[in-house]
Amino acid sequence: QIMTVDTSKLRQMDQSHHLHPFTDLQDYSEHGGRIMSKAEHIYIYDSEGHRMLDGMSGLWCCNLGYSQTTIIDAIHAQLQELPYYNNFFQCSNQPAVELARALVEVTPPQFNHVFFTNSGSEANDTNLRLAHRYYQLQGKPEKKLIISRKNAYHGSTIAAASLGGMGPMHDQTNGLDYVHHINQPHWFEVGRENESRDEFGIRVARELEAKIDELGEANVAAFIAEPIQGAGGVIIPPDTYWPEIKRICDEHDILLIMDEVICGFGRTGNWFGCETYDLEPDLMTFAKAITNGYIPLGGVMVSDKITDVLLSGGGEFAHGLTYSGHPVACAAGLATLQVLHDSNLIQTSGTEIAPHFQARLRELEDHRIVGEVRGRGMFAAIELVRDKTSREHLGPESEGAVFCRNSANAAGLMVRQTGNAMIMAPPLVSSIEEIDSLVDMLGEALDTTADHYGI
């Protein structure tokens, strides 16, 4: 039985006192939103008792759903033992030590060290500090510039937002002047007429090489990217893209930073997206699914190439956070990794659930307002169009995708809209039947949207 509360009172307090992230604050203050009150397995419930299938795993983070009692128990037990102590000043704690070792065991072999943060944003800030310190110790302090991609998302701090390439975020702050951007590998959006996906993949990858030449290799420290751009719209790079990026990074003295905040811990069918694309990053950002979203934790896996310099260079690495390596968060991380090991979920979801998910979504390709279905592993996007040939959008300002999202939400499916695309990332613990339910509800939302626009 779902316990209901006085939703109207909650909404009034929420609108009066709570400033929400990535929200039109004026609109929210006038109209309010949904109050979530309970969750179980892959379902969320609002304060009025309405149930929704969570097709977004929270915010790309609850890969194991909402009913993992061993993680909850680990958090409770650690609170009884050592609820907090810092990792500054030559101190540590047992969960942080054990999680560092556990992460080394599941990440690619070049990683033997970790720096803990509270979020992906802070981890990407840390990447900048690590990259700059690495080159400083090598006598190359001029290597400060970072290359990222347009429409990328790497977090919301000033540094992380600068690394990202989303227009609305840059419109509200000038960002850091040492971050530069190249095009994203989004064939549907920026591919040229009569250009194949493979041709496009090579062309857009070579923009990195051109940008390095333009800025001067002696000035460029790193290239940062997600294996698959998540918040940007689940952008699946052409098969030719990452091999060419790998060649460019190998041939130039720049670091490859892989942001695995969304792709990590099973989302692409492997432990990490860099393994899916056969990449060997120098720095790797993680967060979100490391604790199944139950408590904040992030960090950076640091390769031997970098730690060999840091550990032999001498002097203080002048960077840290009050909650770096928080014992409760690290206990949650350990419990989450244990569930992944014990369940063998990454393999089973990658070989059984994900192929079914992608196959069912492909059935929507012929829908009259679907321009493209793209996906890999356990996340995907559906691009909405008014005309399949011209790729004309349904309406201005992503209006059509917003309508479709609202229709899906009303039908009991939590999915998101990014640009003109519907995006989804269901929990890895979803069953075949639950995937079918997700796709069926999404198909109904597409029908409702098409009818609304008279298509």
Side-chain angles (χ1 to χ4, degrees), residues 219-443:
N219 301 313
V220 178
F223 173 61
I224 184 171
E226 294 176 273
I228 294 170
Q229 286 168 251
V234 189
I235 309 304
I236 311 297
D239 291 341
T240 53
Y241 179 77
W242 278 119
E244 188 67 3
I245 292 288
K246 184 177 181 180
R247 176 193 68 79
I248 294 166
C249 290
D250 287 346
E251 293 180 6
H252 296 79
D253 180 24
I254 65 167
L255 302 175
L256 175 60
I257 304 172
M258 195 106 295
D259 186 335
E260 295 270 6
V261 170
I262 289 175
C263 293
F265 305 101
R267 183 58 60 185
T268 66
N270 293 291
W271 274 89
F272 298 95
C274 62
E275 297 170 311
T276 299
Y277 289 102
D278 191 29
L279 300 168
E280 298 178 3
D282 300 295
L283 295 162
M284 190 170 80
T285 313
F286 66 87
K288 293 191 184 291
I290 178 60
T291 63
N292 200 43
Y294 286 9
I295 199 165
L297 179 64
V300 177
M301 299 304 300
V302 187
S303 68
D304 294 341
K305 171 182 174 178
I306 294 174
T307 56
D308 286 349
V309 172
L310 296 178
L311 297 177
S312 63
E316 179 180 85
F317 179 47
H319 175 65
L321 303 153
T322 300
Y323 302 113
S324 291
H326 193 290
V328 179
C330 289
L334 282 165
T336 302
L337 292 183
Q338 193 62 55
V339 173
L340 289 171
H341 283 303
D342 292 347
S343 65
N344 200 31
L345 183 63
I346 291 175
Q347 180 178 355
T348 55
S349 67
T351 57
E352 298 173 20
I353 304 301
H356 181 75
F357 175 52
Q358 298 296 336
R360 282 299 321 273
L361 287 175
R362 299 294 172 193
E363 295 175 9
L364 301 174
E365 285 182 320
D366 293 333
H367 195 281
R368 55 194 187 275
I369 62 168
V370 172
E372 180 184 52
V373 175
R374 54 181 181 267
R376 183 140 191 183
M378 287 294 282
F379 62 154
I382 296 180
E383 199 80 27
L384 304 187
V385 295
R386 177 177 291 276
D387 183 275
K388 287 175 176 284
T389 302
S390 68
R391 302 181 186 175
E392 178 188 354
H393 297 155
L394 275 178
E397 301 295 328
S398 306
E399 173 190 294
V402 170
F403 182 90
C404 189
R405 177 203 65 195
N406 293 343
S407 299
N409 291 171
L413 173 63
M414 177 57 75
V415 288
R416 287 180 59 193
Q417 160 271 330
T418 293
N420 293 285
M422 302 293 293
I423 60 176
M424 62 218 79
L428 276 57
V429 295
S430 302
S431 67
I432 292 290
E433 293 75 19
E434 287 162 341
I435 292 297
D436 286 339
S437 178
L438 184 159
V439 177
D440 290 345
M441 283 190 282
L442 184 59

Side-chain angles (χ1 to χ4, degrees), residues 149-178:
R149 302 188 295 198
K150 297 175 183 176
N151 196 39
Y153 183 82
H154 294 295
S156 288
T157 59
I158 290 292
S162 300
L163 291 172
M166 292 184 168
M169 297 178 73
H170 284 263
D171 289 343
Q172 295 177 20
T173 178
N174 291 332
L176 301 175
D177 60 8
Y178 56 78

